[in-house]
Coordinates of all heavy atoms in Angstrom, one line a residue:
M169 N 17.9 10.1 13.1 CA 16.5 10.1 12.8 C 15.7 9.4 13.9 O 16.0 8.3 14.2 CB 16.2 9.4 11.5 CG 16.6 10.2 10.3 SD 15.3 10.7 9.3 CE 15.3 9.4 8.1
T170 N 14.8 10.1 14.6 CA 14.1 9.5 15.6 C 12.7 9.1 15.1 O 12.3 9.4 14.0 CB 13.9 10.5 16.8 OG1 13.3 11.7 16.2 CG2 15.2 10.9 17.4
E171 N 12.0 8.4 15.9 CA 10.7 7.8 15.5 C 9.6 8.5 16.3 O 8.6 7.8 16.7 CB 10.7 6.3 15.8 CG 11.5 5.5 14.7 CD 10.8 5.5 13.4 OE1 9.7 4.9 13.3 OE2 11.3 6.1 12.4
D172 N 9.7 9.7 16.6 CA 8.6 10.5 17.3 C 7.4 10.6 16.3 O 7.5 11.2 15.3 CB 9.2 11.8 17.6 CG 8.1 12.7 18.3 OD1 7.0 12.1 18.5 OD2 8.4 13.8 18.7
P173 N 6.3 9.9 16.7 CA 5.1 9.9 15.8 C 4.6 11.3 15.6 O 3.8 11.6 14.7 CB 4.1 9.0 16.6 CG 4.6 9.0 18.0 CD 6.1 9.2 17.9
N174 N 4.9 12.3 16.5 CA 4.4 13.6 16.3 C 5.3 14.4 15.3 O 4.9 15.5 14.9 CB 4.4 14.4 17.6 CG 3.3 13.8 18.5 OD1 2.2 13.8 18.2 ND2 3.8 13.3 19.7
N175 N 6.4 13.9 15.0 CA 7.4 14.6 14.1 C 8.0 13.7 13.0 O 9.1 13.8 12.8 CB 8.5 15.2 15.0 CG 9.2 16.3 14.2 OD1 8.7 16.9 13.3 ND2 10.5 16.5 14.6
L176 N 7.1 12.9 12.4 CA 7.6 12.1 11.3 C 7.8 12.9 10.1 O 7.0 13.9 9.8 CB 6.5 11.0 11.0 CG 6.4 9.8 11.9 CD1 5.3 8.9 11.3 CD2 7.7 9.0 11.8
S177 N 8.8 12.5 9.3 CA 8.9 13.2 8.0 C 7.8 12.6 7.1 O 7.2 11.5 7.4 CB 10.2 12.9 7.4 OG 10.3 11.5 7.0
C178 N 7.5 13.3 6.0 CA 6.4 12.8 5.1 C 6.8 11.4 4.5 O 6.0 10.5 4.4 CB 6.2 13.7 3.9 SG 5.4 15.2 4.5
A179 N 8.1 11.2 4.2 CA 8.6 10.0 3.6 C 8.4 8.8 4.6 O 7.9 7.8 4.3 CB 10.0 10.1 3.2
A180 N 8.7 9.1 5.9 CA 8.6 8.1 6.9 C 7.1 7.7 7.1 O 6.8 6.6 7.3 CB 9.3 8.6 8.2
F181 N 6.3 8.8 7.1 CA 4.9 8.5 7.4 C 4.3 7.7 6.2 O 3.6 6.8 6.4 CB 4.2 9.9 7.5 CG 2.7 9.7 7.7 CD1 2.2 9.2 8.9 CD2 1.8 9.9 6.6 CE1 0.8 9.0 9.0 CE2 0.5 9.7 6.7 CZ -0.1 9.3 7.9
Q182 N 4.6 8.1 5.0 CA 4.1 7.5 3.8 C 4.6 6.0 3.7 O 3.8 5.1 3.3 CB 4.4 8.3 2.6 CG 3.6 9.6 2.5 CD 4.1 10.5 1.4 OE1 4.7 10.1 0.5 NE2 3.7 11.8 1.5
A183 N 5.8 5.8 4.1 CA 6.3 4.4 4.1 C 5.6 3.6 5.1 O 5.5 2.4 4.9 CB 7.8 4.5 4.5
R184 N 5.0 4.2 6.1 CA 4.3 3.5 7.1 C 2.8 3.3 6.9 O 2.1 2.6 7.5 CB 4.5 4.2 8.5 CG 4.1 3.4 9.6 CD 4.7 4.0 10.9 NE 6.1 3.8 11.0 CZ 6.8 4.2 12.0 NH1 6.3 4.9 13.0 NH2 8.1 4.0 12.0
L185 N 2.3 4.1 5.9 CA 0.9 4.1 5.6 C 0.2 2.8 5.4 O -0.8 2.4 6.1 CB 0.6 5.0 4.4 CG 0.0 6.4 4.7 CD1 -0.3 7.1 3.4 CD2 -1.3 6.3 5.5
P186 N 0.8 1.9 4.5 CA 0.2 0.6 4.3 C 0.1 -0.2 5.6 O -0.9 -0.9 5.8 CB 1.1 0.0 3.3 CG 1.9 1.1 2.6 CD 2.0 2.2 3.7
E187 N 1.1 -0.1 6.4 CA 1.2 -0.8 7.6 C 0.1 -0.3 8.6 O -0.7 -1.1 9.2 CB 2.6 -0.6 8.2 CG 2.9 -1.4 9.5 CD 4.2 -0.9 10.1 OE1 5.1 -0.7 9.4 OE2 4.2 -0.6 11.3
L188 N -0.1 1.0 8.6 CA -1.1 1.6 9.5 C -2.5 1.2 9.0 O -3.4 0.8 9.8 CB -1.0 3.1 9.5 CG 0.3 3.6 10.2 CD1 0.4 5.1 10.0 CD2 0.2 3.4 11.7
I189 N -2.7 1.3 7.7 CA -4.0 0.9 7.2 C -4.3 -0.6 7.4 O -5.4 -0.9 7.8 CB -4.0 1.3 5.7 CG1 -4.0 2.8 5.5 CG2 -5.3 0.7 5.0 CD1 -3.8 3.3 4.1
G190 N -3.2 -1.4 7.1 CA -3.4 -2.8 7.3 C -3.7 -3.2 8.7 O -4.4 -4.2 8.9
S191 N -3.2 -2.5 9.7 CA -3.5 -2.8 11.1 C -4.8 -2.3 11.5 O -5.2 -2.5 12.7 CB -2.3 -2.2 11.9 OG -2.5 -0.8 12.0
G192 N -5.5 -1.6 10.7 CA -6.9 -1.1 11.0 C -6.8 0.1 11.9 O -7.8 0.5 12.5
E193 N -5.7 0.7 12.0 CA -5.6 1.9 12.8 C -6.3 3.1 12.2 O -6.5 3.2 11.0 CB -4.1 2.3 12.9 CG -3.8 3.1 14.1 CD -2.3 2.9 14.5 OE1 -1.9 1.7 14.5 OE2 -1.6 3.8 14.8
N194 N -6.8 4.0 13.0 CA -7.5 5.2 12.5 C -6.5 6.2 12.1 O -6.0 7.0 12.9 CB -8.4 5.7 13.6 CG -9.3 6.9 13.1 OD1 -9.2 7.2 11.9 ND2 -10.0 7.6 14.0
I195 N -6.2 6.2 10.8 CA -5.1 7.0 10.3 C -5.5 8.5 10.3 O -4.7 9.4 10.5 CB -4.7 6.6 8.9 CG1 -4.2 5.1 8.9 CG2 -3.6 7.5 8.3 CD1 -4.5 4.4 7.7
A196 N -6.8 8.7 10.1 CA -7.2 10.1 10.2 C -6.9 10.8 11.5 O -6.9 12.0 11.6 CB -8.7 10.2 9.9
A197 N -6.7 10.0 12.5 CA -6.4 10.6 13.8 C -4.9 10.6 14.1 O -4.5 11.1 15.1 CB -7.1 9.7 14.9
H198 N -4.1 10.2 13.1 CA -2.6 10.2 13.3 C -2.1 11.7 13.4 O -2.6 12.5 12.6 CB -2.0 9.5 12.1 CG -0.6 9.2 12.3 ND1 0.4 10.1 12.3 CD2 0.1 8.0 12.7 CE1 1.6 9.6 12.5 NE2 1.4 8.3 12.8
P199 N -1.2 11.9 14.3 CA -0.7 13.3 14.5 C -0.1 13.9 13.2 O -0.3 15.1 12.9 CB 0.4 13.1 15.5 CG 0.2 11.9 16.2 CD -0.6 11.0 15.3
H200 N 0.5 13.1 12.4 CA 1.1 13.6 11.1 C 0.0 14.1 10.2 O 0.2 15.1 9.5 CB 2.0 12.5 10.4 CG 2.7 13.1 9.3 ND1 4.0 13.7 9.4 CD2 2.4 13.2 8.0 CE1 4.4 14.1 8.2 NE2 3.4 13.9 7.3
I201 N -1.1 13.4 10.1 CA -2.2 13.8 9.3 C -2.8 15.2 9.7 O -3.1 16.0 8.9 CB -3.3 12.7 9.3 CG1 -2.9 11.5 8.5 CG2 -4.6 13.3 8.7 CD1 -2.8 11.7 7.0
H202 N -2.8 15.4 11.0 CA -3.3 16.6 11.5 C -2.3 17.8 11.2 O -2.8 18.9 11.0 CB -3.5 16.6 13.0 CG -4.7 15.8 13.4 ND1 -6.0 16.4 13.3 CD2 -4.9 14.5 13.8 CE1 -6.9 15.5 13.6 NE2 -6.3 14.3 14.0
S203 N -1.1 17.5 11.1 CA -0.1 18.6 10.9 C 0.4 18.7 9.5 O 1.0 19.7 9.1 CB 1.1 18.4 11.8 OG 1.8 17.2 11.5
C204 N 0.0 17.8 8.6 CA 0.6 17.8 7.3 C -0.5 17.7 6.2 O -1.2 16.7 6.1 CB 1.5 16.6 7.1 SG 2.3 16.6 5.4
E205 N -0.6 18.8 5.5 CA -1.7 18.9 4.4 C -1.4 18.0 3.3 O -2.3 17.4 2.7 CB -1.6 20.4 3.9 CG -2.9 20.9 3.4 CD -2.8 22.4 3.0 OE1 -2.4 23.1 3.9 OE2 -3.1 22.7 1.9
I206 N -0.1 17.8 3.0 CA 0.3 16.9 1.8 C -0.2 15.5 2.1 O -0.8 14.9 1.2 CB 1.8 17.0 1.6 CG1 2.2 18.4 1.2 CG2 2.2 16.0 0.6 CD1 3.7 18.6 1.3
C207 N 0.1 15.0 3.3 CA -0.2 13.6 3.6 C -1.7 13.5 3.8 O -2.3 12.4 3.6 CB 0.5 13.1 4.8 SG 2.3 12.9 4.4
R208 N -2.4 14.5 4.2 CA -3.8 14.5 4.3 C -4.4 14.3 2.9 O -5.4 13.5 2.7 CB -4.4 15.8 5.0 CG -5.7 15.6 5.7 CD -5.8 16.6 6.8 NE -5.6 18.0 6.4 CZ -5.0 18.9 7.1 NH1 -4.5 18.6 8.3 NH2 -4.8 20.1 6.7
A209 N -3.9 15.0 2.0 CA -4.4 14.8 0.6 C -4.1 13.5 0.1 O -4.9 12.8 -0.6 CB -3.8 15.9 -0.3
L210 N -2.9 13.0 0.4 CA -2.5 11.7 -0.1 C -3.4 10.6 0.5 O -3.8 9.7 -0.2 CB -1.0 11.4 0.4 CG -0.5 10.1 0.0 CD1 -0.1 10.0 -1.5 CD2 0.8 9.7 0.8
L211 N -3.7 10.7 1.8 CA -4.5 9.8 2.4 C -5.9 9.7 1.8 O -6.5 8.7 1.5 CB -4.7 10.1 3.9 CG -5.6 9.2 4.7 CD1 -5.0 7.7 4.7 CD2 -5.8 9.6 6.1
A212 N -6.4 10.9 1.4 CA -7.7 11.0 0.8 C -7.7 10.3 -0.6 O -8.6 9.5 -0.9 CB -8.1 12.4 0.6
D213 N -6.6 10.5 -1.3 CA -6.4 9.8 -2.6 C -6.3 8.3 -2.4 O -6.9 7.5 -3.1 CB -5.1 10.2 -3.2 CG -5.2 11.6 -3.9 OD1 -6.3 12.1 -4.0 OD2 -4.2 12.1 -4.4
L214 N -5.5 7.9 -1.4 CA -5.4 6.4 -1.1 C -6.7 5.8 -0.8 O -7.0 4.7 -1.2 CB -4.5 6.2 0.1 CG -3.0 6.2 -0.1 CD1 -2.2 6.2 1.2 CD2 -2.6 5.0 -1.0
M215 N -7.5 6.5 0.0 CA -8.8 6.0 0.4 C -9.7 5.8 -0.8 O -10.5 4.9 -1.0 CB -9.5 6.9 1.4 CG -8.8 6.8 2.8 SD -8.5 5.0 3.3 CE -8.0 5.3 5.0
T216 N -9.7 6.8 -1.7 CA -10.4 6.8 -3.0 C -10.0 5.6 -3.8 O -10.8 4.8 -4.3 CB -10.3 8.1 -3.8 OG1 -10.6 9.2 -2.9 CG2 -11.1 8.1 -5.0
I217 N -8.7 5.4 -3.9 CA -8.1 4.3 -4.7 C -8.5 3.0 -4.1 O -8.9 2.0 -4.8 CB -6.6 4.4 -4.9 CG1 -6.3 5.7 -5.7 CG2 -6.0 3.2 -5.5 CD1 -4.8 6.1 -5.6
A218 N -8.4 2.9 -2.8 CA -8.7 1.7 -2.1 C -10.1 1.3 -2.3 O -10.4 0.1 -2.5 CB -8.4 1.8 -0.6
E219 N -11.0 2.3 -2.2 CA -12.4 2.0 -2.4 C -12.7 1.5 -3.8 O -13.4 0.5 -4.0 CB -13.2 3.3 -2.2 CG -14.7 3.1 -2.1 CD -15.1 2.1 -1.1 OE1 -14.5 2.0 0.0 OE2 -16.0 1.3 -1.4
A220 N -12.0 2.1 -4.8 CA -12.2 1.7 -6.2 C -11.6 0.3 -6.4 O -12.2 -0.6 -7.0 CB -11.5 2.7 -7.1
A221 N -10.5 0.0 -5.7 CA -9.8 -1.3 -5.9 C -10.7 -2.4 -5.2 O -10.8 -3.5 -5.7 CB -8.5 -1.3 -5.2
R222 N -11.3 -2.0 -4.1 CA -12.2 -3.0 -3.5 C -13.4 -3.4 -4.4 O -13.8 -4.5 -4.4 CB -12.7 -2.3 -2.2 CG -12.8 -3.3 -1.0 CD -13.1 -2.6 0.3 NE -12.0 -1.8 0.7 CZ -12.1 -0.6 1.4 NH1 -13.3 -0.1 1.7 NH2 -11.0 0.0 1.8
Q223 N -13.8 -2.4 -5.1 CA -15.0 -2.7 -6.0 C -14.5 -3.5 -7.3 O -15.2 -4.3 -7.8 CB -15.6 -1.4 -6.5 CG -16.4 -0.8 -5.3 CD -16.9 0.6 -5.6 OE1 -16.8 1.1 -6.7 NE2 -17.3 1.3 -4.6
L224 N -13.2 -3.2 -7.7 CA -12.7 -3.9 -8.8 C -12.3 -5.3 -8.5 O -12.4 -6.3 -9.3 CB -11.5 -3.1 -9.4 CG -11.8 -1.9 -10.2 CD1 -10.6 -1.1 -10.5 CD2 -12.6 -2.2 -11.4
F225 N -11.7 -5.5 -7.3 CA -11.1 -6.8 -7.0 C -11.7 -7.3 -5.6 O -11.0 -7.4 -4.6 CB -9.6 -6.7 -6.8 CG -8.9 -6.1 -8.0 CD1 -8.4 -4.8 -7.8 CD2 -8.8 -6.7 -9.2 CE1 -7.7 -4.2 -8.9 CE2 -8.2 -6.0 -10.3 CZ -7.6 -4.8 -10.1
P226 N -13.0 -7.6 -5.6 CA -13.6 -8.0 -4.3 C -13.0 -9.3 -3.8 O -13.1 -10.3 -4.5 CB -15.1 -8.1 -4.6 CG -15.2 -8.2 -6.1 CD -13.9 -7.7 -6.7
I227 N -12.4 -9.2 -2.6 CA -12.0 -10.4 -1.8 C -10.9 -11.2 -2.5 O -10.5 -12.2 -2.0 CB -13.1 -11.3 -1.4 CG1 -14.5 -10.6 -1.3 CG2 -12.8 -12.0 -0.1 CD1 -15.6 -11.5 -1.1
V228 N -10.5 -10.8 -3.7 CA -9.5 -11.6 -4.4 C -8.1 -11.6 -3.8 O -7.5 -12.6 -3.6 CB -9.4 -11.2 -5.9 CG1 -8.3 -12.0 -6.6 CG2 -10.7 -11.4 -6.6
E229 N -7.7 -10.3 -3.5 CA -6.4 -10.2 -2.9 C -6.4 -9.9 -1.4 O -7.3 -9.2 -0.9 CB -5.7 -9.0 -3.5 CG -5.6 -9.0 -5.0 CD -4.4 -9.8 -5.5 OE1 -3.7 -10.4 -4.6 OE2 -4.2 -9.9 -6.7
P230 N -5.5 -10.5 -0.7 CA -5.4 -10.2 0.7 C -4.9 -8.7 0.8 O -4.2 -8.2 0.0 CB -4.3 -11.1 1.3 CG -3.6 -11.7 0.1 CD -4.5 -11.5 -1.1
P231 N -5.4 -8.0 1.9 CA -5.1 -6.5 2.0 C -3.6 -6.2 1.8 O -3.3 -5.2 1.2 CB -5.6 -6.2 3.4 CG -6.6 -7.2 3.7 CD -6.2 -8.5 3.0
D232 N -2.7 -6.9 2.4 CA -1.3 -6.6 2.3 C -0.9 -6.5 0.9 O -0.2 -5.5 0.5 CB -0.5 -7.6 3.0 CG -0.6 -7.5 4.5 OD1 -1.2 -6.5 5.0 OD2 -0.1 -8.3 5.3
R233 N -1.2 -7.5 0.1 CA -0.9 -7.5 -1.3 C -1.5 -6.3 -2.0 O -0.8 -5.7 -2.8 CB -1.4 -8.8 -1.8 CG -0.8 -9.6 -2.9 CD 0.7 -9.7 -3.1 NE 1.0 -9.4 -4.5 CZ 0.6 -10.2 -5.5 NH1 0.0 -11.3 -5.2 NH2 0.9 -9.9 -6.7
L234 N -2.7 -6.0 -1.7 CA -3.5 -5.0 -2.4 C -2.8 -3.6 -2.1 O -2.6 -2.8 -3.0 CB -4.9 -4.9 -1.8 CG -5.8 -4.0 -2.5 CD1 -6.0 -4.3 -4.0 CD2 -7.2 -4.0 -1.8
W235 N -2.4 -3.4 -0.9 CA -1.7 -2.1 -0.5 C -0.4 -2.0 -1.2 O 0.0 -0.9 -1.7 CB -1.6 -2.0 1.0 CG -2.9 -1.5 1.5 CD1 -3.8 -2.2 2.3 CD2 -3.5 -0.2 1.3 NE1 -4.9 -1.4 2.6 CE2 -4.7 -0.2 2.0 CE3 -3.1 0.9 0.6 CZ2 -5.6 0.9 2.0 CZ3 -3.9 2.0 0.6 CH2 -5.2 2.0 1.2
E236 N 0.3 -3.1 -1.3 CA 1.6 -3.1 -2.1 C 1.3 -2.6 -3.5 O 2.1 -1.8 -4.0 CB 2.2 -4.5 -2.1 CG 3.1 -4.7 -0.9 CD 3.6 -6.2 -0.9 OE1 3.7 -6.8 -2.0 OE2 3.7 -6.7 0.2
Q237 N 0.3 -3.2 -4.1 CA 0.0 -2.8 -5.5 C -0.4 -1.4 -5.6 O 0.0 -0.7 -6.5 CB -1.1 -3.7 -6.0 CG -0.6 -5.1 -6.2 CD -1.8 -6.1 -6.5 OE1 -2.9 -5.7 -6.5 NE2 -1.5 -7.3 -6.8
I238 N -1.2 -0.9 -4.7 CA -1.7 0.5 -4.7 C -0.5 1.4 -4.5 O -0.3 2.4 -5.2 CB -2.7 0.7 -3.6 CG1 -4.0 0.0 -3.9 CG2 -2.9 2.2 -3.4 CD1 -4.9 0.0 -2.7
E239 N 0.4 1.0 -3.6 CA 1.6 1.8 -3.3 C 2.5 2.0 -4.5 O 2.9 3.0 -4.9 CB 2.4 1.2 -2.2 CG 2.8 2.2 -1.2 CD 3.9 1.6 -0.2 OE1 4.0 0.4 -0.3 OE2 4.4 2.4 0.5
S240 N 2.7 0.8 -5.2 CA 3.6 0.9 -6.3 C 2.9 1.6 -7.5 O 3.6 2.3 -8.3 CB 4.1 -0.5 -6.7 OG 3.0 -1.3 -7.1
A241 N 1.6 1.5 -7.6 CA 0.9 2.2 -8.6 C 1.1 3.7 -8.4 O 1.3 4.5 -9.4 CB -0.6 1.8 -8.6
I242 N 1.0 4.1 -7.2 CA 1.1 5.5 -6.9 C 2.5 6.0 -7.2 O 2.8 7.1 -7.8 CB 0.8 5.8 -5.4 CG1 -0.7 5.6 -5.2 CG2 1.2 7.2 -5.0 CD1 -1.1 5.6 -3.7
R243 N 3.5 5.2 -6.8 CA 4.9 5.6 -7.1 C 5.1 5.7 -8.6 O 5.8 6.6 -9.0 CB 5.9 4.5 -6.5 CG 5.9 4.5 -5.0 CD 7.2 4.3 -4.4 NE 7.1 4.5 -3.0 CZ 7.2 3.5 -2.1 NH1 7.3 2.3 -2.5 NH2 7.0 3.7 -0.8
N244 N 4.6 4.8 -9.3 CA 4.8 4.8 -10.8 C 4.2 6.0 -11.4 O 4.8 6.5 -12.4 CB 4.1 3.6 -11.4 CG 4.9 2.3 -11.1 OD1 6.1 2.4 -10.7 ND2 4.3 1.1 -11.2
E245 N 3.1 6.5 -10.9 CA 2.5 7.7 -11.5 C 2.8 9.0 -10.9 O 2.3 10.0 -11.2 CB 1.0 7.5 -11.6 CG 0.2 7.7 -10.3 CD -1.3 7.5 -10.5 OE1 -1.7 6.6 -11.2 OE2 -2.0 8.3 -10.0
D246 N 3.7 8.9 -9.9 CA 4.1 10.1 -9.2 C 5.0 11.0 -10.0 O 6.2 10.7 -10.2 CB 4.8 9.7 -7.9 CG 5.2 11.0 -7.0 OD1 4.7 12.1 -7.4 OD2 5.9 10.8 -6.1
G247 N 4.4 12.1 -10.5 CA 5.2 13.0 -11.3 C 5.7 14.2 -10.6 O 6.0 15.2 -11.1
G248 N 5.6 14.1 -9.3 CA 6.1 15.2 -8.4 C 4.9 16.2 -8.1 O 5.1 17.3 -7.7
S249 N 3.7 15.7 -8.2 CA 2.5 16.5 -8.0 C 2.4 16.9 -6.5 O 1.7 17.8 -6.1 CB 1.3 15.8 -8.5 OG 1.1 14.6 -7.9
V250 N 3.0 16.1 -5.6 CA 2.9 16.4 -4.2 C 4.0 17.3 -3.7 O 4.1 17.6 -2.5 CB 2.8 15.1 -3.3 CG1 1.5 14.4 -3.6 CG2 4.0 14.3 -3.5
Q251 N 4.9 17.7 -4.6 CA 6.0 18.6 -4.2 C 5.4 20.0 -3.7 O 4.4 20.4 -4.4 CB 6.9 18.9 -5.3 CG 7.6 17.6 -5.8 CD 8.6 17.0 -4.8 OE1 9.2 17.8 -4.0 NE2 8.7 15.7 -4.7
P252 N 5.9 20.5 -2.7 CA 5.4 21.8 -2.3 C 5.7 22.9 -3.3 O 6.7 22.8 -4.0 CB 6.2 22.1 -1.0 CG 7.1 21.0 -0.7 CD 7.0 20.0 -1.8
Ligands
ZN5 ZN1 3.4 14.6 5.5

C-alpha cells in the first residue's frame, strides 16, 4: 500500500479526513475529492454535521475532540449507505 495522494483508497482518505480538516487544509481541493463521488458526498455531510455541531457546542470542545466525536457518530450510524 503506497501513500500516493492521487490514488488513495476511500478508507485511507476517510481515515485522514479529521486530520486534514484539523490542519485547516482545503479538502475540497484534495485530489481524492475530485476523483471520488462517494467521498465528495461524505465531505458534504461532514461539513453539514460540523456546522451543526459548531452551533450546538460553541467553543466547548477543542476541534480534535469534536472531530473524533463526529467520526464515531458517523461510524455508529453507518448502515452501508455509502456502498456503491
Ligand atoms: Zn473515496
Side-chain angles (χ1 to χ4, degrees):
M169 287 246 264
T170 55
E171 283 287 297
D172 180 359
N174 292 299
N175 195 26
L176 278 180
S177 72
C178 288
F181 177 75
Q182 288 169 19
R184 192 166 290 181
L185 254 184
E187 186 189 315
L188 290 170
I189 293 169
S191 71
E193 204 150 317
N194 183 7
I195 300 151
H198 193 284
H200 188 90
I201 287 294
H202 283 283
S203 62
C204 180
E205 209 174 305
I206 295 168
C207 290
R208 206 151 53 217
L210 179 77
L211 179 64
D213 280 354
L214 276 174
M215 290 312 188
T216 304
I217 295 166
E219 189 55 41
R222 217 170 289 149
Q223 287 167 16
L224 286 174
F225 312 108
I227 335 172
V228 177
E229 303 276 3
D232 285 353
R233 213 33 230 295
L234 186 61
W235 278 110
E236 271 171 34
Q237 290 171 354
I238 292 168
E239 222 192 353
S240 64
I242 290 168
R243 288 217 175 108
N244 288 342
E245 77 180 42
D246 182 9
S249 56
V250 293
Q251 297 294 326

